[in-house]
Amino acid sequence: MKQVTMRRLFAVGFVLVMLAPIMLRAAEPQDIIKYRQNVMKANGAHLAAAAAIIQGKVDFKNQLDAHVRALQTFTSDIPALFPKGSDFGDTRAKDAVWDKRAEFDKRAKNLKEKVAAFARAVKGGKREAMLAAFKDVGEDCKACHKDFRKKEEE
Amino acid sequence: MHSSRVTRTALFKLAAAFLLMVVAATPAGAADDVMQRGEYLFRAAGCAVCHTDAEHKGAPLAGGRALKTRFGTFYTPNITPDDETGIGSWTETDFDRALRKGRDDEDEYLYPAFPYPSYTHLTDTDVRAIWAYLSSRKPVHQENKPHDLKWYVSYRPLIKFWQMLYFKPGPFQPQPDKPAGWNRGAYLVTAVGHCGECHTPRNFLGGLEESKRFSGNPDGVDGADVPNITPDKKTGIGTWSEGDITEYLDTGMTPDGDFAGDIMADVIDDSTSHLTRDDRKAIAVYLMSLPPIETVRHEHKHNKKKHRKEDYE
């Protein structure tokens, strides 16, 4: 009786150990993909929210700083969101993200600088400068999506 | 007496000088106006989006961009004024025929991958202006790449029948009961900007399904799922405001902060962001006035494809 239990335990353990790499591998990319999609969505949401304040559509000037700070935090290392192996599953990231890594890293760095410039413009508080800097950030989003994100249903 | 004569002489001189200025300025000024108008319309019509092979860093307007469709791959032609490989030997009449009748300088039928079913609604003045601007571009010597089409569409004369079925030539008809802004938007969307060419589903012969105008095309160019731009709340842009559309056509930002990335990003960069704010707004006004059409959303294909490929690794 005791021996049977032990043997069964060993068997289950053995199977688990054998399956572990597969299970871990299978779960991990989907999590990071979901995470980066959420971060990207949050970035978009903060940028859109900041734009609405700057454009005078809504009056939440006291929250503008927080939006911009969040944007700075979450665009500070975009390449880290795209580790090797996170290229399959439910993602629209193109293979170019990994195949043309140097270019991808450069674009991410450019974005970081544009966001920093946006933050400076917001600190300066001049409407025209803020609008221009916002447009610059958007340009980068668009350009990068063009080259590194698949269209729907590709 | 003396002083009045002086005044009169001076006045006369001034008038003469002014007249000379007007005479000298008018033709040049008018030409500039036509050129400016031409450039603006050239942008609005998005010519460069398809006629430049941006992906392979091709020369502006020298063509060669691949348009993958279910009828095969079209390679856009060179529309620079190069005599041999471009349209340098064309006359304004040839250009007009291509744009509004769908036939080239040798009277051959053109594939409707070139959006003449929309351009046919352009006004005389606008066709002339676009031609003036296009003729002023830098000629680029680059041979056209032949299309790579399915056998059943490779015989050009058959396009004549397609035209009989689906091509309704004729100028834009403004609706007098609608405001000027709406009419401007209608002209920009249906004639110049030819939005419906991508955003309307096509039947098995490639004709636009008029009853589903602007409701998107799940089988769009380059395999894209082209979105529904009717104001349907669930499947279209019914939750967008006029301002949202205007903003999107300027910066590419959607109301939830996403940014356009596919061919629409090119359209925004090369075309709609160069329009005046009023024109972008007119487009929004027109789109919002369309009848909302609900479309059936389908599952995203890319997931499955990725899984299939990776499952065996």
Side-chain angles (χ1 to χ4, degrees):
Chain A
M1 178 74 183
K2 199 178 169 194
Q3 216 170 12
V4 174
T5 320
M6 279 300 280
R7 209 188 284 163
R8 196 178 284 166
L9 205 70
F10 269 120
V12 171
F14 179 73
V15 169
L16 276 177
V17 167
M18 289 306 284
L19 280 176
I22 302 167
M23 285 165 69
L24 285 177
R25 248 197 68 162
E28 204 185 68
Q30 207 43 60
D31 290 341
I32 183 103
I33 287 166
K34 197 72 223 160
Y35 178 73
R36 78 170 167 240
Q37 285 170 349
N38 282 330
V39 170
M40 285 293 192
K41 265 185 229 156
N43 280 336
H46 282 300
L47 187 59
I53 298 170
I54 295 166
Q55 289 165 345
K57 286 181 190 161
V58 292
D59 186 34
F60 286 99
K61 284 190 200 72
N62 55 331
Q63 299 191 155
L64 184 54
D65 261 355
H67 289 304
V68 175
R69 249 181 292 125
L71 204 55
Q72 270 191 299
T73 307
F74 294 114
T75 53
S76 66
D77 193 2
I78 285 182
L81 295 171
F82 295 85
K84 275 209 179 92
S86 65
D87 59 337
F88 68 94
D90 193 1
T91 178
R92 280 167 70 194
K94 282 187 182 175
D95 291 341
V97 170
W98 295 273
D99 296 348
K100 294 181 179 160
R101 193 59 178 204
E103 175 65 19
F104 184 69
D105 290 352
K106 204 178 90 192
R107 298 284 193 88
K109 200 170 148 248
N110 284 349
L111 174 70
K112 221 174 125 177
E113 282 159 16
K114 294 269 179 71
V115 172
F118 182 45
R120 280 196 299 278
V122 165
K123 235 179 219 133
K126 287 207 182 69
R127 192 183 133 92
E128 288 310 307
M130 287 193 279
L131 283 175
F134 152 69
K135 263 192 126 167
D136 270 357
V137 172
E139 284 291 312
D140 269 22
C141 299
K142 185 151 47 74
C144 205
H145 287 174
K146 205 152 61 171
D147 294 337
F148 295 100
R149 185 175 75 174
K150 282 177 209 166
K151 43 178 137 331
E152 303 265 358
E153 289 255 339
E154 192 177 298
Chain B
M1 184 75 191
H2 182 75
S3 74
S4 96
R5 197 192 293 156
V6 170
T7 324
R8 216 185 299 159
T9 325
L11 256 170
F12 179 76
K13 269 187 188 160
L14 205 78
F18 182 69
L19 211 77
L20 232 131
M21 255 163 60
V22 170
V23 169
T26 310
D32 278 355
D33 281 354
V34 170
M35 204 59 97
Q36 255 176 21
R37 191 189 176 90
E39 179 171 7
Y40 188 80
L41 287 157
F42 164 87
R43 296 279 198 186
C47 312
V49 175
C50 284
H51 286 282
T52 303
D53 189 11
E55 199 188 330
H56 301 103
K57 305 210 161 41
L61 305 180
R65 183 203 198 281
L67 294 170
K68 292 195 199 91
T69 74
R70 82 185 115 111
F71 301 105
T73 302
F74 293 93
Y75 292 97
T76 57
N78 183 341
I79 55 164
T80 69
D82 182 61
D83 280 343
E84 274 172 52
T85 62
I87 55 170
S89 63
W90 286 31
T91 62
E92 192 182 295
T93 318
D94 293 335
F95 182 67
D96 189 349
R97 192 189 306 117
L99 241 60
R100 296 198 288 186
K101 297 208 173 76
R103 298 198 307 276
D104 69 6
D105 60 324
E106 287 161 0
D107 222 26
E108 282 227 53
Y109 288 93
L110 293 166
Y111 285 105
F114 173 55
Y116 59 82
S118 294
Y119 292 158
T120 188
H121 307 313
L122 290 168
T123 64
D124 294 351
T125 333
D126 286 355
V127 171
R128 212 169 298 139
I130 298 172
W131 174 245
Y133 177 74
L134 210 51
S135 310
S136 75
R137 299 295 80 204
K138 201 178 117 208
V140 177
H141 191 89
Q142 182 180 302
E143 290 289 348
N144 287 334
K145 203 167 165 181
H147 302 317
D148 182 13
L149 302 175
K150 299 267 170 67
W151 61 270
Y152 54 87
V153 287
S154 57
Y155 187 59
R156 259 178 201 273
L158 284 180
I159 301 171
K160 181 180 180 174
F161 297 104
W162 189 93
Q163 290 199 352
M164 282 164 67
L165 285 169
Y166 301 116
F167 178 44
K168 289 170 215 83
F172 172 73
Q173 303 288 349
Q175 297 203 13
D177 57 322
K178 293 273 182 20
W182 183 93
N183 274 305
R184 175 69 179 164
Y187 181 66
L188 286 168
V189 169
T190 62
V192 193
H194 61 277
C195 311
E197 301 285 337
C198 283
H199 287 279
T200 303
R202 290 175 183 270
N203 63 22
F204 72 106
L205 285 174
L208 293 177
E209 293 184 55
E210 288 298 332
S211 65
K212 297 181 187 162
R213 241 160 49 113
F214 302 112
S215 70
N217 184 0
D219 188 22
V221 79
D222 296 340
D225 182 6
V226 185
N228 181 345
I229 52 168
T230 71
D232 178 59
K233 286 247 192 302
K234 248 203 276 179
T235 60
I237 52 171
T239 57
W240 293 31
S241 69
E242 249 170 58
D244 289 339
I245 302 173
T246 312
E247 171 75 46
Y248 178 71
L249 295 174
D250 182 16
T251 62
M253 184 174 78
T254 67
D256 57 359
D258 193 4
F259 277 82
D262 42 30
I263 190 171
M264 196 57 202
D266 289 326
V267 174
I268 291 162
D269 285 346
D270 290 345
S271 179
T272 57
S273 66
H274 297 272
L275 300 180
T276 62
R277 200 176 162 72
D278 282 350
D279 273 356
R280 276 194 293 271
K281 206 172 158 217
I283 292 174
V285 166
Y286 175 73
L287 290 181
M288 294 305 272
S289 79
L290 291 170
I293 300 174
E294 190 177 334
T295 47
V296 182
R297 295 302 302 178
H298 19 225
E299 239 189 293
H300 286 206
K301 277 191 235 149
H302 64 88
N303 305 346
K304 289 183 203 151
K305 216 176 5 186
K306 265 289 183 191
H307 276 312
R308 267 205 304 275
K309 194 184 115 198
E310 301 286 338
D311 280 345
Y312 296 99
E313 275 189 5

